[in-house]
Amino acid sequence: MSYTKSSAAVESSGAIADPMLDITNLNVYYGESHILRNVDFGVASGKMVCLIGRNGVGKTTMLKTIMGLLAPRTGSIQFRGESIVRKSPDQRARLGIGYVPQGREVIPRLTIKENLLLGLEALPGKGQKKEIPEEIFELFPVLKTMLSRMGGDLSGGQQQQLAIARALMGQPKLLVLDEPTEGIQPSIILEIEAAVKRIIKERGISVLLVEQHLHFVRQADWYYAMQKGGIVASGPTRELSQEIIQEFLAV
Amino acid sequence: MSGLLDGLFNGISIGAVLLLAALGLAIVFGLMGVINMAHGELIMLGAYTTFVVQNIFKPLGAPWSDFYIFFALVAAFIVAALVGVLLERTVVRYLYGRPLETLLATWGVSLILQQFIRSVSPQFVVGVGLFCALYFGAIAIISRRPDFERIRNWAIAIMVPISVAIALTASNVLGQSFKLGFTRPWFGTQGVDVTAPKWLRGGLAIGDSQLPYTRLFIIALTIVCLLGIYWFLNKTNWGLRIRSVTQNRTMSACLGIPTQKVDAITFAIGSGLAGIAGCAVALLGSVSSNTGQAYIVDTFMVVVIGGVGKLIGSIMAAGAIGILSYVIGSNAIGPLFDSMPFVKSIFEFFATASMAKVVVFALIVVFLQFRPAGLFPQKGRTVEA
């Protein structure tokens, strides 16, 4: 059996020993159209989980629901053992979910430095010192050279690095990345990949990744495959077979 | 030469009043995109606050009565900001992203505020206060019951008439026993006058023209407010949050910025600036419940001409409109056409304050045909978003 069917996937996600994020029976609608159907999903502490699937199956909807931008009709979302379904996006960010959305969403008419400083908003406590840790520049050296440029003037790849760096400024416990390599040249993809791997290794945080780029998908510990708004397969990524890749990745 | 200086000074001083009045709107409308038709009434509230503060300080004698204006500025800012926050929390917040509904609702609020100023009296305050205390007190007590959701509509249906009846009876009884002293409105429909403190009377003589101190004071006040806003938006944490939320609300929320709090603070600052503008307006002439109406169109013009969302645009637009109105209104160009009596008579025809306004608005209409996004339109790839 190359991949497990949905019932088995529920068991495997339910079997996570130490869940950072635990989603059960999630149903999300846009108006009357049913987007996510009975989704069960989990991210273990310190692991990198990849969500794959073709366009329009509900991957971004899933991330938006986790972030609180969409309200589920039914289902529970637990973050570190606490239900967050009723919390607003800013409260979720302050609990420790760092979000890097599709399309980067860098604030265009703020400088790079201001964009990075906004990342500190997710940290609890007031009066923190307003400076950017050197670690950020080690991960993304390109940002250091252009701190006073406007966010909207950067290229796509630079914006992506800025968006990830910004999310890291808030020291999240779960980093949510939505297609970080979309429309970005290969050399930058490798840089971003290396940075994400290094963050996991050094900080021990969890990462939830939506990705189409196979090389990046292979870095994850666990994968979930989505089809028509439901999880149809899951397993360790080392077991990710050519068959599944053919079926769920748009390559 | 002195004519030119005179024109420039008067133009700038008209522009300064316009800019001060428009500055709050540049934030509320320009940055937040909220069409607040009650902005003029916030200016009016600032003016009335100045009047009240003046009357409190007058009996205290010098030096208090000389410097009441500074206390009035602070009080006007606070009063207008509080009313602004109340407006945002109770009305505008439910209408974000729906400009037409916002326009109608805030216009309604502006009418309510005008009538409030006309009819506020001790009797009125007692009546409204009693109603609020009874009604909201009762709802607060009932909401502690476990079955509140079920009986909610019943509770409201019963408490509203009871509270109205008690409040009306009480205020009428009080009104009959204390007569006019209790029922006479504080401000009424007549205009009230604020007298400038002694050191603001008179003017600075330059050559054969005189620059009134009140005008100079307003110009200085405008500059201080501009610098203050610039500093607040660009150098403080809250300023950064405001700029972030106005550019990308969803992403700002995802970064952990409390967007509702930011909305309330932005609105408070915009409204507070309207209050300060009211203080300046009070120095220029008599203040009545219609004062706000006189300014609302001009302030929107300034913001639209300047380019929505650009403070620098508002500054330029206020200056331009101010100078243009003065030059046309004072017939400064007419004498240059002595050789052409026909042209001269045209300029003379428009040389009154109201006709100058006609010309300015006509020019604005023409200008917007060519630059619909104003003097300083937003540029770059973010414009469409």
Side-chain angles (χ1 to χ4, degrees):
Chain A
M1 190 65 185
S2 56
Y3 62 88
T4 47
K5 277 290 176 194
S6 58
S7 60
V10 175
E11 280 169 32
S12 55
S13 73
I16 293 173
D18 178 18
M20 175 68 69
L21 182 74
D22 193 15
I23 292 175
T24 46
N25 200 26
L26 193 70
N27 282 283
V28 178
Y29 292 71
Y30 274 124
E32 279 312 302
S33 62
H34 199 166
I35 307 295
L36 294 184
R37 298 162 189 269
N38 303 318
V39 170
D40 294 286
F41 182 88
V43 178
S45 266
K47 297 287 182 201
M48 178 167 170
V49 172
C50 187
L51 185 60
I52 56 176
R54 289 180 177 273
N55 289 333
V57 297
K59 304 186 296 292
T60 297
T61 304
M62 174 96 139
L63 298 196
K64 282 187 173 169
T65 313
I66 291 171
M67 206 54 225
L69 298 176
L70 294 170
R73 196 166 287 185
T74 62
S76 81
I77 307 175
Q78 304 248 329
F79 181 66
R80 306 173 82 212
E82 186 186 351
S83 174
I84 57 168
V85 175
R86 298 202 168 276
K87 295 205 186 297
S88 63
D90 57 290
Q91 289 171 318
R92 296 187 199 201
R94 270 172 279 153
L95 281 175
I97 306 182
Y99 180 47
V100 181
Q102 198 171 22
R104 276 82 72 168
E105 308 275 330
V106 161
I107 314 288
R109 278 174 286 116
L110 297 187
T111 63
I112 312 295
K113 186 169 183 206
E114 286 170 329
N115 264 288
L116 286 170
L117 289 177
L118 280 178
L120 292 173
E121 294 289 328
L123 287 177
K126 300 286 164 218
Q128 341 106 358
K129 54 181 191 312
K130 284 267 168 187
E131 52 191 51
I132 300 153
E134 200 53 35
E135 183 197 12
I136 297 290
F137 297 127
E138 282 170 27
L139 287 167
F140 303 107
V142 67
L143 296 178
K144 191 166 192 173
T145 58
M146 39 180 70
L147 280 177
S148 54
R149 299 226 341 233
M150 288 288 159
D153 295 343
L154 296 189
S155 73
Q158 289 163 342
Q159 287 196 4
Q160 188 67 62
Q161 297 181 45
L162 173 58
I164 297 174
R166 181 179 63 182
L168 289 176
M169 291 285 288
Q171 296 171 11
K173 294 165 186 88
L174 171 68
L175 183 63
V176 178
L177 300 165
D178 197 348
E179 305 222 6
T181 64
E182 188 193 26
I184 288 171
Q185 56 163 328
S187 66
I188 307 281
I189 293 183
L190 290 179
E191 260 178 54
I192 291 174
E193 239 182 81
V196 171
K197 271 169 75 179
R198 189 168 152 195
I199 297 156
I200 298 172
K201 206 173 124 213
E202 284 176 3
R203 295 203 184 170
I205 65 174
S206 309
V207 172
L208 168 55
L209 175 74
V210 164
E211 190 50 78
Q212 302 275 1
H213 189 74
L214 183 59
H215 188 266
F216 206 167
V217 171
R218 290 238 184 252
Q219 313 296 320
D221 301 297
W222 194 270
Y223 77 89
Y224 286 91
M226 279 186 92
Q227 205 169 48
K228 290 179 186 161
I231 303 281
V232 290
S234 70
T237 32
R238 58 174 184 279
E239 291 172 13
L240 201 57
S241 67
Q242 205 55 42
E243 232 178 295
I244 303 175
I245 291 165
Q246 287 282 319
E247 194 173 344
F248 296 112
L249 282 186
V251 280
Chain B
M1 196 60 214
S2 84
L4 185 69
L5 192 73
D6 208 39
L8 203 63
F9 172 76
N10 279 300
I12 289 175
S13 82
I14 295 174
V17 178
L18 278 179
L19 181 57
L20 199 55
L23 205 52
L25 202 69
I27 288 171
V28 167
F29 176 51
L31 294 182
M32 293 176 85
V34 172
I35 299 178
N36 182 13
M37 294 300 282
H39 189 79
E41 275 58 44
L42 293 170
I43 296 178
M44 174 197 74
L45 284 181
Y48 273 97
T49 309
T50 312
F51 174 70
V52 170
V53 170
Q54 172 202 251
N55 287 358
I56 292 172
F57 277 69
K58 209 178 253 169
L60 297 178
W64 292 100
S65 56
D66 282 340
F67 293 98
Y68 79 87
I69 194 77
F70 295 105
F71 295 93
L73 283 172
V74 175
F77 183 90
I78 293 171
V79 167
L82 286 179
V83 174
V85 168
L86 193 68
L87 174 63
E88 200 271 342
R89 288 287 91 182
T90 54
V91 179
V92 174
R93 146 164 96 123
Y94 300 103
L95 301 171
Y96 280 128
R98 289 154 68 189
L100 288 179
E101 285 90 336
T102 312
L103 191 151
L104 284 175
T106 52
W107 187 49
V109 170
S110 91
L111 295 178
I112 291 172
L113 286 175
Q114 283 174 37
Q115 191 56 41
F116 170 79
I117 283 295
R118 282 180 210 129
S119 50
V120 65
S121 64
Q123 187 185 29
F124 183 87
V125 171
V126 167
V128 172
L130 204 56
F131 170 79
C132 288
L134 285 171
Y135 174 71
F136 291 108
I139 294 294
I141 291 167
I142 295 172
S143 68
R144 296 216 190 109
R145 287 173 60 115
D147 57 347
F148 175 64
E149 285 305 319
R150 196 171 54 77
I151 60 169
R152 182 195 182 106
N153 288 340
W154 280 106
I156 292 174
I158 294 170
M159 286 319 296
V160 167
I162 292 181
S163 311
V164 168
I166 295 176
L168 273 181
T169 323
S171 56
N172 273 332
V173 167
L174 283 171
Q176 258 150 36
S177 39
F178 292 100
K179 301 291 180 211
L180 210 56
F182 194 68
T183 53
R184 193 178 60 215
W186 280 333
F187 308 117
T189 46
Q190 295 285 313
V192 296
D193 284 306
V194 171
T195 41
K198 237 179 262 149
W199 53 278
L200 276 180
R201 289 173 215 156
L204 185 69
I206 293 181
D208 50 355
S209 61
Q210 196 170 24
L211 315 181
Y213 285 133
T214 45
R215 293 277 180 179
L216 287 172
F217 178 74
I218 289 170
I219 293 174
L221 185 64
T222 309
I223 292 170
V224 169
C225 286
L226 267 177
L227 292 177
I229 281 302
Y230 184 83
W231 172 82
F232 179 78
L233 283 179
N234 288 299
K235 302 287 172 198
T236 64
N237 285 351
W238 280 107
L240 181 59
R241 288 178 195 134
I242 288 173
R243 283 183 295 146
S244 176
V245 170
T246 52
Q247 290 180 46
N248 191 335
R249 173 173 296 270
T250 340
M251 192 58 223
S252 299
C254 290
L255 287 170
I257 299 173
T259 47
Q260 298 213 341
K261 219 187 214 171
V262 170
D263 288 338
I265 287 178
T266 317
F267 213 89
I269 297 212
S271 309
L273 284 170
I276 289 185
C279 217
V281 165
L283 290 176
L284 291 178
S286 170
V287 175
S288 75
S289 55
N290 298 325
T291 299
Q293 302 262 289
Y295 284 91
I296 188 73
V297 176
D298 292 343
T299 52
F300 268 106
M301 284 299 164
V302 167
V303 176
V304 170
I305 293 291
V308 174
K310 292 275 190 177
L311 281 182
I312 179 79
S314 301
I315 300 171
M316 303 297 281
I321 294 179
I323 291 175
L324 208 57
S325 340
Y326 181 76
V327 165
I328 296 169
S330 69
N331 194 19
I333 304 177
L336 300 179
F337 291 93
D338 274 338
S339 54
M340 288 180 275
F342 177 67
V343 181
K344 193 182 171 193
S345 70
I346 291 180
F347 278 109
E348 270 162 6
F349 178 69
F350 286 109
T352 61
S354 50
M355 286 314 278
K357 206 162 196 175
V358 170
V359 177
V360 169
F361 280 168
L363 289 175
I364 286 174
V365 169
V366 174
F367 173 79
L368 287 179
Q369 297 294 320
F370 294 101
R371 299 287 295 266
L375 285 171
F376 294 88
Q378 305 278 8
K379 290 197 186 97
R381 58 171 110 171
T382 53
V383 175
E384 282 80 30

